Amino acid sequence: MAEVYSISMNKGGVGKTSLVTNLAGAITKQMKKKVLIIDTDGQGNSSIAFGFKQPNDFEYTIYDVLMGEKNAKDVIIEVSPHLHILPSNKDMNFLEFDILPNLHQYGEPFKLLTRHVVGIQDQYDYIFIDTPPSMGLVAGNVLAIADKVIIPFAPETFGVNGLINVIEGVSDFKKKENPSLEIAGVVGMMLDSRTSLHGELIKQARQYCFEHDINMCDTVIPKSIRFANATAYDGKPATWSDSNNPIVKAYYELLEEVLPHGKKG
Ligand code: ATP
Ligand code: MG
């Protein structure tokens, strides 16, 4: 049975998709386990990271699955024998418009994704779900089926209060909707060691997590614009390429921290 990870944070550009694609890539490369990425963000960036340049060309996506018009297995794309993607595209930007006025047809609003994931969970070791930068119907559906949440904290983009809001939101959701949900870790993203503000914000985040018994990973992902530009053109996640790069090394270290109990069986 796959363990299901949601990468959640209601801010844009904080490294959600980078975490999803690089951790999934690292698992398939290092552990030879089978991984499914479910993209639920209308930007379709998870499939772009694997070289599918035009997500809008996908005939069917997670949107059709959530609308009950397709089975997940008929929409999933095989990137490699160990890595599959259930893609997304701009159709997902209208999911709430299409679902909310007709909710009576769809049953419990946060359970739209659950049965589809349950139906394919035994075919994978891990499922990583990329999410849009907002907390709404889609984010709730993802948290409802997730076993674990990874929360990226990019100090460049928002302060510790933004992190606290998300942690509190996840804890609240756990109480109300999914008692088995756990925070696997908060991860410092795109850190510039020369910027003293980054160091200070990471310290504050660690203090908060320590006081609230939340795992903040020791590993942080350093910032490198050059690296980000290079991987954007590669059509594969960094963890499938240059293993000497410090960012790639950091992702493999991070994997050890977020998957402590993640081995199959
Ligand atoms: P969105 O909410 O828009 O989906 P996101 O949270 O998924 O954004 P990413 O797309 O992973 O964030 O990253 C945002 C941008 O930062 C991308 O252009 C990406 O290439 C860049 N980036 C990712 N990792 C790094 C890094 N370590 N250093 C510098 N830039 C990075
Ligand atoms: Mg993204």
Side-chain angles (χ1 to χ4, degrees), residues 183-226:
I183 296 177
V186 173
V187 183
M189 292 298 292
M190 304 183 209
L191 280 158
D192 185 347
S193 54
R194 294 162 306 180
T195 308
S196 58
L197 178 68
H198 284 195
E200 181 51 38
L201 289 172
I202 287 288
K203 210 167 107 189
Q204 287 175 21
R206 283 199 193 288
Q207 182 68 25
Y208 176 86
C209 289
F210 176 74
E211 285 165 4
H212 293 79
D213 204 17
I214 290 158
N215 177 40
M216 175 143 179
C217 297
D218 291 336
T219 309
V220 296
I221 305 299
K223 180 173 179 173
S224 163
I225 300 295
R226 206 174 56 170

Side-chain angles (χ1 to χ4, degrees), residues 37-253:
I37 293 174
I38 302 179
D39 192 357
T40 65
D41 180 15
Q43 297 174 95
N45 286 342
S46 275
S47 47
I48 292 175
F50 285 92
F52 298 91
K53 297 226 180 317
Q54 302 290 344
N56 290 338
D57 289 349
F58 291 125
E59 191 174 0
Y60 300 112
T61 66
I62 183 72
Y63 170 86
D64 302 282
V65 175
L66 292 173
M67 292 296 285
E69 284 159 13
K70 281 275 156 194
N71 288 321
K73 68 174 175 39
D74 299 326
V75 180
I76 287 171
I77 296 165
E78 183 171 321
V79 177
S80 78
H82 283 93
L83 198 140
H84 295 181
I85 298 183
L86 177 42
S88 179
N89 66 19
K90 64 177 169 48
D91 290 348
M92 272 302 273
N93 296 332
F94 299 95
L95 185 83
E96 293 192 4
F97 281 29
D98 295 333
I99 296 260
L100 292 180
N102 306 305
L103 253 188
H104 55 282
Q105 285 174 27
Y106 294 98
E108 286 182 75
F110 289 138
K111 291 287 161 74
L112 302 174
L113 183 60
T114 298
R115 72 185 168 89
H116 298 288
V117 173
V118 169
I120 51 174
Q121 212 169 349
D122 62 345
Q123 290 163 44
Y124 298 95
D125 297 293
Y126 296 97
I127 296 177
F128 280 83
I129 310 183
D130 195 4
T131 60
S134 59
M135 287 291 170
L137 184 69
V138 175
N141 268 278
V142 175
L143 290 176
I145 182 62
D147 300 305
K148 306 215 166 149
V149 191
I150 297 175
I151 301 175
F153 174 55
E156 183 96 2
T157 323
F158 60 98
V160 177
N161 281 341
L163 174 65
I164 294 172
N165 285 341
V166 170
I167 291 174
E168 287 178 350
V170 169
S171 305
D172 197 41
F173 193 90
K174 174 185 165 91
K175 274 190 216 122
K176 290 180 183 151
E177 302 281 342
N178 179 1
S180 57
L181 185 65
E182 278 174 34
I183 296 177
V186 173
V187 183
M189 292 298 292
M190 304 183 209
L191 280 158
D192 185 347
S193 54
R194 294 162 306 180
T195 308
S196 58
L197 178 68
H198 284 195
E200 181 51 38
L201 289 172
I202 287 288
K203 210 167 107 189
Q204 287 175 21
R206 283 199 193 288
Q207 182 68 25
Y208 176 86
C209 289
F210 176 74
E211 285 165 4
H212 293 79
D213 204 17
I214 290 158
N215 177 40
M216 175 143 179
C217 297
D218 291 336
T219 309
V220 296
I221 305 299
K223 180 173 179 173
S224 163
I225 300 295
R226 206 174 56 170
F227 171 86
N229 286 342
T231 54
Y233 291 102
D234 261 5
K236 59 184 180 186
T239 47
W240 277 4
S241 55
D242 179 10
S243 56
N244 288 318
N245 186 292
I247 292 182
V248 175
K249 284 191 175 146
Y251 272 115
Y252 278 94
E253 280 166 24

